[in-house]
């Protein structure tokens, strides 16, 4: 994301709405990333955006999930 887009995203997220704004997750086109990894990363991002803080993963859980996605790297 570029810096001007970041400002727009912050504005959209902080505006009061019935359903909170979430940025569109771009499709990742990388020869080292497969469809399963993309799905896992998208799911992780969406979980982090949960309106209920109790449903959001901890940083430790995020770290473990990212390691799983990257096959332990």
């Amino acid at each position: 994301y570029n810096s001007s887009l970041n400002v727009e995203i912050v504005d959209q997220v902080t505006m009061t709405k019935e359903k909170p704004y979430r940025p569109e997750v771009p499709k990742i086109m990388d020869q080292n990333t497969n469809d399963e990894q993309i799905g896992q990363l998208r799911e992780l991002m969406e979980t982090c955006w949960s309106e209920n803080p109790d449903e959001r993963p901890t940083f430790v859980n995020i770290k473990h999930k990212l390691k799983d996605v990257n096959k332990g790297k």
Side-chain angles (χ1 to χ4, degrees):
Y1 298 107
N2 63 41
S3 61
S4 63
L5 182 57
N6 288 342
V7 171
E8 291 173 26
I9 290 172
V10 169
D11 288 344
Q12 289 290 329
V13 170
T14 58
M15 292 174 65
T16 306
K17 291 184 176 184
E18 191 172 305
K19 184 175 180 182
Y21 172 80
R22 298 295 183 242
E24 183 177 332
V25 179
K27 293 193 183 277
I28 300 170
M29 296 299 195
D30 183 322
Q31 63 188 14
N32 298 317
T33 305
N34 62 41
D35 287 341
E36 180 182 352
Q37 289 171 309
I38 292 168
Q40 290 172 330
L41 290 172
R42 183 180 303 275
E43 181 180 321
L44 177 61
M45 289 174 67
E46 290 172 354
T47 303
C48 290
W49 293 338
S50 175
E51 287 300 299
N52 182 347
D54 294 332
E55 294 175 0
R56 296 179 202 144
T58 65
F59 284 105
V60 171
N61 290 341
I62 292 170
K63 179 181 173 183
H64 289 296
K65 183 66 174 181
L66 290 174
K67 280 189 172 187
D68 289 345
V69 170
N70 287 314
K71 309 294 186 221
K73 294 180 184 175

XYZ file of all heavy atoms in Angstrom:
600
model
N 0.840 -1.190 0.000
C 0.000 0.000 0.000
C 0.880 1.245 0.000
O 1.874 1.321 0.706
C -0.891 0.018 1.231
C -1.848 -1.147 1.296
C -1.659 -2.184 2.191
C -2.949 -1.196 0.456
C -2.545 -3.234 2.260
C -3.843 -2.238 0.517
C -3.638 -3.262 1.417
O -4.520 -4.299 1.474
N 0.492 2.260 -0.755
C 1.271 3.489 -0.738
C 0.750 4.401 0.369
O -0.324 4.185 0.919
C 1.270 4.174 -2.108
C -0.111 4.623 -2.543
O -0.885 5.141 -1.741
N -0.424 4.442 -3.809
N 1.491 5.446 0.702
C 1.152 6.286 1.855
C -0.173 7.018 1.697
O -0.923 7.170 2.661
C 2.272 7.275 2.162
O 2.479 8.120 1.055
N -0.517 7.475 0.499
C -1.797 8.169 0.327
C -2.962 7.194 0.503
O -4.002 7.544 1.059
C -1.875 8.861 -1.037
O -1.822 7.921 -2.080
N -2.775 5.975 0.069
C -3.803 4.955 0.265
C -3.937 4.639 1.752
O -5.046 4.431 2.250
C -3.466 3.692 -0.522
C -4.481 2.560 -0.454
C -5.859 3.036 -0.915
C -4.026 1.398 -1.297
N -2.827 4.629 2.485
C -2.877 4.369 3.929
C -3.753 5.399 4.631
O -4.543 5.050 5.509
C -1.471 4.386 4.535
C -0.661 3.179 4.139
O -1.198 2.157 3.700
N 0.638 3.293 4.261
N -3.630 6.656 4.267
C -4.430 7.720 4.873
C -5.910 7.482 4.574
O -6.765 7.605 5.454
C -3.982 9.113 4.363
C -4.944 10.192 4.818
C -2.575 9.415 4.838
N -6.217 7.109 3.339
C -7.608 6.830 2.967
C -8.159 5.653 3.764
O -9.310 5.680 4.219
C -7.700 6.515 1.473
C -7.426 7.710 0.585
C -7.369 7.320 -0.887
O -7.991 6.307 -1.263
O -6.699 8.027 -1.640
N -7.354 4.620 3.957
C -7.796 3.449 4.716
C -8.068 3.828 6.162
O -9.098 3.456 6.730
C -6.764 2.310 4.624
C -6.766 1.743 3.209
C -7.055 1.213 5.643
C -5.663 0.743 2.936
N -7.173 4.593 6.778
C -7.382 5.024 8.167
C -8.667 5.834 8.269
O -9.472 5.633 9.190
C -6.169 5.830 8.691
C -6.488 6.499 10.018
C -4.959 4.925 8.831
N -8.897 6.750 7.337
C -10.130 7.540 7.339
C -11.356 6.643 7.246
O -12.335 6.828 7.968
C -10.141 8.548 6.186
C -9.175 9.698 6.411
O -8.725 9.896 7.568
O -8.878 10.409 5.434
N -11.320 5.665 6.362
C -12.460 4.769 6.181
C -12.704 3.908 7.419
O -13.847 3.700 7.827
C -12.246 3.856 4.971
C -12.329 4.565 3.660
C -13.751 5.004 3.341
O -14.718 4.369 3.721
N -13.868 6.115 2.650
N -11.639 3.397 8.020
C -11.774 2.527 9.188
C -12.320 3.295 10.388
O -13.132 2.771 11.158
C -10.417 1.859 9.535
C -10.466 1.156 10.878
C -10.023 0.883 8.441
N -11.909 4.553 10.550
C -12.315 5.311 11.736
C -13.669 5.977 11.602
O -14.214 6.461 12.594
C -11.260 6.378 12.080
O -11.074 7.246 10.961
C -9.945 5.739 12.477
N -14.233 6.000 10.396
C -15.561 6.591 10.221
C -16.602 5.651 10.829
O -16.501 4.434 10.724
C -15.863 6.807 8.733
C -14.996 7.871 8.107
S -15.227 7.990 6.318
C -16.905 8.544 6.226
N -17.581 6.228 11.490
C -18.629 5.424 12.104
C -19.561 4.904 11.023
O -20.124 5.659 10.253
C -19.431 6.268 13.118
O -18.509 6.834 14.046
C -20.453 5.431 13.840
N -19.699 3.603 10.980
C -20.560 2.945 10.002
C -21.216 1.747 10.673
O -20.739 1.237 11.675
C -19.762 2.449 8.803
C -19.204 3.531 7.934
C -18.535 2.914 6.734
C -18.046 4.011 5.808
N -17.489 3.469 4.598
N -22.289 1.294 10.060
C -22.949 0.098 10.559
C -22.004 -1.106 10.465
O -21.844 -1.863 11.401
C -24.217 -0.158 9.755
C -25.099 -1.223 10.362
C -26.416 -1.297 9.653
O -27.107 -0.265 9.546
O -26.740 -2.401 9.195
N -21.405 -1.282 9.308
C -20.436 -2.347 9.115
C -19.079 -1.694 8.902
O -18.917 -0.887 7.996
C -20.806 -3.199 7.910
C -19.892 -4.378 7.717
C -20.362 -5.261 6.575
C -19.405 -6.427 6.430
N -19.765 -7.291 5.322
N -18.087 -2.022 9.716
C -16.780 -1.366 9.599
C -16.134 -1.612 8.239
O -16.275 -2.673 7.657
C -15.947 -2.015 10.695
C -16.876 -2.756 11.552
C -18.115 -3.020 10.761
N -15.416 -0.616 7.781
C -14.682 -0.723 6.527
C -13.448 -1.595 6.737
O -12.753 -1.480 7.733
C -14.238 0.668 6.050
C -13.309 0.611 4.874
C -13.801 0.421 3.595
C -11.936 0.717 5.043
C -12.950 0.355 2.506
C -11.077 0.648 3.966
C -11.586 0.467 2.701
O -10.738 0.394 1.627
N -13.201 -2.448 5.808
C -11.971 -3.228 5.788
C -11.394 -3.111 4.389
O -12.121 -3.236 3.406
C -12.225 -4.704 6.117
C -12.789 -4.935 7.510
C -11.781 -4.512 8.569
N -12.261 -4.792 9.903
C -12.484 -3.875 10.829
N -12.303 -2.597 10.541
N -12.886 -4.194 12.017
N -10.086 -2.850 4.278
C -9.499 -2.721 2.949
C -9.561 -4.044 2.200
O -9.566 -5.113 2.796
C -8.052 -2.310 3.231
C -7.800 -2.710 4.627
C -9.117 -2.697 5.338
N -9.629 -3.941 0.885
C -9.606 -5.147 0.060
C -8.212 -5.752 0.131
O -7.210 -5.046 0.023
C -9.941 -4.786 -1.378
C -10.001 -5.984 -2.283
C -10.404 -5.621 -3.691
O -11.124 -4.621 -3.878
O -9.982 -6.345 -4.606
N -8.162 -7.034 0.333
C -6.879 -7.719 0.391
C -6.468 -8.056 -1.037
O -7.185 -8.778 -1.727
C -6.978 -9.008 1.237
C -5.645 -9.719 1.283
C -7.472 -8.688 2.640
N -5.348 -7.495 -1.478
C -4.940 -7.751 -2.868
C -4.557 -9.206 -3.065
O -4.094 -9.869 -2.141
C -3.737 -6.839 -3.064
C -3.214 -6.565 -1.712
C -4.386 -6.674 -0.770
N -4.775 -9.689 -4.275
C -4.338 -11.040 -4.606
C -2.816 -11.031 -4.689
O -2.218 -10.143 -5.291
C -4.933 -11.484 -5.928
C -6.423 -11.665 -5.866
C -6.896 -12.407 -7.095
C -8.392 -12.526 -7.086
N -8.899 -13.593 -6.310
N -2.237 -12.000 -4.055
C -0.775 -12.094 -4.029
C -0.331 -12.950 -5.212
O -0.733 -14.100 -5.333
C -0.288 -12.720 -2.704
C -0.731 -11.869 -1.527
C 1.217 -12.896 -2.721
C -0.512 -12.527 -0.186
N 0.445 -12.365 -6.065
C 0.969 -13.102 -7.206
C 2.469 -13.254 -6.999
O 3.245 -12.363 -7.300
C 0.687 -12.360 -8.508
C -0.766 -12.229 -8.819
S -1.477 -13.877 -8.994
C -3.003 -13.476 -9.777
N 2.840 -14.364 -6.440
C 4.236 -14.607 -6.119
C 4.496 -16.089 -6.387
O 3.732 -16.944 -5.948
C 4.475 -14.270 -4.649
C 5.923 -14.414 -4.223
O 6.596 -15.350 -4.689
O 6.374 -13.610 -3.406
N 5.542 -16.380 -7.062
C 5.828 -17.767 -7.402
C 6.085 -18.628 -6.165
O 6.004 -19.849 -6.232
C 7.017 -17.857 -8.357
C 8.319 -17.347 -7.757
C 9.414 -17.264 -8.792
O 9.168 -17.331 -9.985
N 10.638 -17.107 -8.342
N 6.407 -18.001 -5.028
C 6.685 -18.747 -3.803
C 5.469 -18.867 -2.890
O 5.580 -19.390 -1.799
C 7.837 -18.082 -3.039
C 9.117 -18.084 -3.845
O 9.466 -19.079 -4.470
N 9.806 -16.963 -3.864
N 4.319 -18.361 -3.314
C 3.115 -18.383 -2.493
C 2.040 -19.191 -3.217
O 1.703 -18.887 -4.352
C 2.605 -16.948 -2.243
O 3.662 -16.186 -1.687
C 1.446 -16.944 -1.268
N 1.496 -20.204 -2.535
C 0.464 -21.007 -3.176
C -0.924 -20.590 -2.669
O -1.054 -19.791 -1.747
C 0.724 -22.508 -2.962
C 0.697 -22.898 -1.499
O -0.134 -22.437 -0.730
N 1.596 -23.786 -1.111
N -1.961 -21.145 -3.281
C -3.336 -20.778 -2.934
C -3.663 -21.055 -1.473
O -4.383 -20.294 -0.832
C -4.333 -21.520 -3.828
C -4.345 -20.984 -5.251
O -3.875 -19.852 -5.463
O -4.832 -21.706 -6.144
N -3.136 -22.142 -0.928
C -3.391 -22.475 0.474
C -2.805 -21.401 1.393
O -3.448 -20.952 2.342
C -2.797 -23.841 0.819
C -3.032 -24.250 2.263
C -2.388 -25.581 2.611
O -1.886 -26.273 1.701
O -2.382 -25.915 3.800
N -1.581 -20.973 1.093
C -0.943 -19.928 1.902
C -1.723 -18.617 1.814
O -1.909 -17.941 2.819
C 0.504 -19.706 1.450
C 1.428 -20.838 1.802
C 2.777 -20.674 1.155
O 2.889 -20.459 -0.054
N 3.819 -20.775 1.963
N -2.173 -18.275 0.617
C -2.941 -17.047 0.436
C -4.209 -17.106 1.274
O -4.567 -16.153 1.962
C -3.269 -16.814 -1.059
C -1.977 -16.499 -1.820
C -4.281 -15.695 -1.228
C -2.123 -16.527 -3.320
N -4.894 -18.240 1.251
C -6.099 -18.414 2.048
C -5.824 -18.297 3.534
O -6.587 -17.672 4.277
N -4.720 -18.882 3.982
C -4.360 -18.816 5.404
C -4.033 -17.380 5.820
O -4.433 -16.942 6.904
C -3.168 -19.729 5.690
C -3.497 -21.198 5.590
C -2.257 -22.067 5.687
O -1.148 -21.677 5.301
N -2.438 -23.281 6.191
N -3.318 -16.656 4.975
C -2.978 -15.267 5.292
C -4.224 -14.386 5.308
O -4.391 -13.543 6.190
C -1.961 -14.721 4.288
C -0.561 -15.313 4.391
C 0.304 -14.853 3.224
C 0.084 -14.962 5.718
N -5.114 -14.585 4.350
C -6.362 -13.814 4.299
C -7.197 -14.087 5.556
O -7.708 -13.174 6.184
C -7.142 -14.173 3.041
C -8.413 -13.374 2.846
C -9.123 -13.781 1.570
N -8.282 -13.631 0.389
C -8.148 -12.499 -0.290
N -8.786 -11.425 0.081
N -7.384 -12.438 -1.354
N -7.298 -15.350 5.933
C -8.056 -15.722 7.137
C -7.445 -15.077 8.385
O -8.159 -14.560 9.245
C -8.071 -17.238 7.285
C -8.853 -17.736 8.478
C -8.820 -19.249 8.573
O -8.887 -19.936 7.539
O -8.708 -19.742 9.711
N -6.125 -15.091 8.478
C -5.446 -14.481 9.616
C -5.727 -12.982 9.672
O -6.049 -12.442 10.738
C -3.937 -14.739 9.542
C -3.095 -14.092 10.635
C -3.500 -14.587 12.022
C -1.620 -14.360 10.387
N -5.633 -12.311 8.530
C -5.905 -10.873 8.492
C -7.332 -10.580 8.933
O -7.567 -9.681 9.745
C -5.670 -10.326 7.080
C -4.221 -10.281 6.697
S -3.959 -9.800 4.978
C -4.501 -8.117 5.010
N -8.278 -11.341 8.419
C -9.674 -11.098 8.760
C -9.942 -11.382 10.238
O -10.718 -10.675 10.878
C -10.577 -11.931 7.854
C -10.550 -11.407 6.423
C -11.275 -12.282 5.435
O -11.726 -13.392 5.801
O -11.399 -11.849 4.264
N -9.274 -12.380 10.800
C -9.412 -12.662 12.229
C -8.860 -11.501 13.053
O -9.448 -11.119 14.062
C -8.677 -13.970 12.592
O -9.184 -15.028 11.798
C -8.863 -14.314 14.056
N -7.758 -10.920 12.608
C -7.156 -9.782 13.319
C -8.080 -8.564 13.295
O -8.004 -7.718 14.181
C -5.810 -9.416 12.697
S -4.510 -10.624 12.996
N -8.949 -8.474 12.282
C -9.861 -7.342 12.149
C -11.162 -7.532 12.913
O -12.054 -6.684 12.832
C -10.200 -7.105 10.689
C -9.067 -6.635 9.850
C -7.935 -6.010 10.271
C -8.970 -6.736 8.427
N -7.136 -5.719 9.208
C -7.741 -6.157 8.062
C -9.785 -7.256 7.441
C -7.312 -6.075 6.749
C -9.363 -7.182 6.127
C -8.141 -6.600 5.791
N -11.312 -8.610 13.649
C -12.564 -8.888 14.344
C -12.969 -7.712 15.221
O -12.140 -7.104 15.899
C -12.424 -10.144 15.208
O -13.592 -10.344 15.963
N -14.255 -7.396 15.197
C -14.771 -6.315 16.044
C -14.688 -6.694 17.522
O -14.557 -5.840 18.377
C -16.220 -5.999 15.665
C -16.341 -5.274 14.345
C -15.599 -3.945 14.356
O -15.933 -3.061 15.173
O -14.681 -3.787 13.540
N -14.762 -7.981 17.808
C -14.682 -8.463 19.183
C -13.217 -8.748 19.517
O -12.621 -9.680 18.972
C -15.516 -9.741 19.332
C -15.511 -10.278 20.744
O -14.720 -9.867 21.580
N -16.395 -11.218 21.007
N -12.630 -7.979 20.433
C -11.216 -8.171 20.765
C -10.883 -9.580 21.253
O -9.777 -10.062 21.032
C -10.955 -7.149 21.878
C -12.035 -6.145 21.750
C -13.223 -6.862 21.178
N -11.852 -10.241 21.878
C -11.601 -11.601 22.372
C -11.426 -12.608 21.233
O -10.886 -13.687 21.440
C -12.744 -12.058 23.278
C -12.831 -11.249 24.560
O -11.778 -10.727 25.008
O -13.948 -11.131 25.114
N -11.894 -12.257 20.044
C -11.772 -13.145 18.887
C -10.488 -12.912 18.104
O -10.150 -13.697 17.220
C -12.972 -12.964 17.954
C -14.281 -13.399 18.573
C -15.466 -13.104 17.693
O -15.288 -12.559 16.575
O -16.591 -13.417 18.120
N -9.759 -11.840 18.428
C -8.513 -11.536 17.730
C -7.379 -12.391 18.294
O -7.307 -12.616 19.492
C -8.143 -10.069 17.899
C -9.130 -9.125 17.279
C -8.717 -7.689 17.507
N -9.872 -6.824 17.388
C -10.082 -5.753 18.117
N -9.188 -5.361 19.020
N -11.168 -5.034 17.939
N -6.469 -12.845 17.427
C -5.341 -13.644 17.921
C -4.332 -12.768 18.658
O -4.223 -11.574 18.403
C -4.725 -14.204 16.642
C -5.109 -13.241 15.569
C -6.451 -12.688 15.977
N -3.614 -13.391 19.575
C -2.532 -12.689 20.266
C -1.337 -12.595 19.316
O -1.284 -13.295 18.296
C -2.085 -13.450 21.527
O -1.523 -14.712 21.116
C -3.244 -13.682 22.488
N -0.369 -11.764 19.658
C 0.822 -11.655 18.815
C 1.581 -12.980 18.783
O 2.148 -13.345 17.748
C 1.724 -10.515 19.292
C 1.189 -9.167 18.915
C 0.590 -8.355 19.857
C 1.270 -8.721 17.607
C 0.087 -7.108 19.507
C 0.773 -7.481 17.244
C 0.171 -6.677 18.198
N 1.575 -13.702 19.874
C 2.227 -15.012 19.894
C 1.531 -15.947 18.905
O 2.180 -16.647 18.122
C 2.223 -15.604 21.324
C 2.686 -17.050 21.324
C 3.092 -14.764 22.252
N 0.192 -15.950 18.919
C -0.551 -16.796 17.983
C -0.325 -16.370 16.533
O -0.237 -17.217 15.646
C -2.048 -16.778 18.301
C -2.369 -17.509 19.581
O -1.585 -18.309 20.068
N -3.532 -17.225 20.140
N -0.251 -15.058 16.306
C 0.019 -14.561 14.946
C 1.385 -15.060 14.476
O 1.531 -15.546 13.358
C -0.049 -13.022 14.893
C -1.492 -12.551 15.122
C 0.494 -12.502 13.566
C -1.627 -11.058 15.322
N 2.379 -14.966 15.350
C 3.732 -15.414 15.010
C 3.729 -16.901 14.653
O 4.313 -17.310 13.648
C 4.675 -15.151 16.183
C 6.090 -15.586 15.947
C 6.954 -15.303 17.162
C 8.334 -15.881 17.002
N 9.158 -15.680 18.198
N 3.039 -17.710 15.450
C 2.972 -19.151 15.173
C 2.256 -19.428 13.849
O 2.688 -20.274 13.066
C 2.280 -19.899 16.311
C 3.091 -19.984 17.560
N 4.295 -20.650 17.635
C 2.871 -19.479 18.785
C 4.787 -20.548 18.858
N 3.941 -19.835 19.586
N 1.171 -18.711 13.613
C 0.419 -18.911 12.375
C 1.271 -18.532 11.161
O 1.276 -19.251 10.155
C -0.865 -18.072 12.405
C -1.751 -18.258 11.212
C -2.325 -19.663 11.163
C -3.322 -19.781 10.026
N -3.905 -21.106 9.958
N 2.000 -17.414 11.255
C 2.870 -17.002 10.150
C 3.979 -18.027 9.903
O 4.326 -18.306 8.757
C 3.449 -15.616 10.405
C 2.448 -14.468 10.324
C 3.099 -13.164 10.750
C 1.853 -14.345 8.929
N 4.510 -18.608 10.978
C 5.511 -19.659 10.808
C 4.906 -20.867 10.115
O 5.525 -21.481 9.263
C 6.116 -20.062 12.159
C 7.181 -19.115 12.640
C 7.886 -19.688 13.848
C 9.063 -18.802 14.184
N 9.896 -19.382 15.242
N 3.675 -21.224 10.508
C 2.986 -22.341 9.861
C 2.791 -22.072 8.376
O 3.021 -22.952 7.545
C 1.621 -22.602 10.504
C 1.719 -23.200 11.903
O 2.805 -23.677 12.280
O 0.689 -23.168 12.613
N 2.344 -20.858 8.051
C 2.114 -20.491 6.656
C 3.417 -20.573 5.859
O 3.436 -21.020 4.722
C 1.492 -19.078 6.550
C 1.485 -18.587 5.113
C 0.076 -19.072 7.128
N 4.514 -20.154 6.482
C 5.814 -20.139 5.807
C 6.583 -21.444 6.018
O 7.782 -21.501 5.781
C 6.659 -18.963 6.293
C 6.155 -17.661 5.752
O 5.867 -17.564 4.576
N 6.050 -16.662 6.607
N 5.881 -22.459 6.482
C 6.481 -23.790 6.692
C 7.682 -23.740 7.625
O 8.725 -24.322 7.364
C 6.877 -24.427 5.364
C 5.785 -24.444 4.325
C 4.627 -25.328 4.713
C 3.634 -25.410 3.579
N 2.268 -25.353 4.005
N 7.549 -22.966 8.728
C 8.570 -22.937 9.763
C 9.719 -21.992 9.531
O 10.651 -21.951 10.316
N 9.702 -21.235 8.461
C 10.817 -20.318 8.166
C 10.808 -19.145 9.098
O 9.837 -18.656 9.527
C 10.744 -19.833 6.714
C 10.957 -20.940 5.723
C 10.870 -20.410 4.312
C 10.990 -21.544 3.336
N 10.801 -21.133 1.976
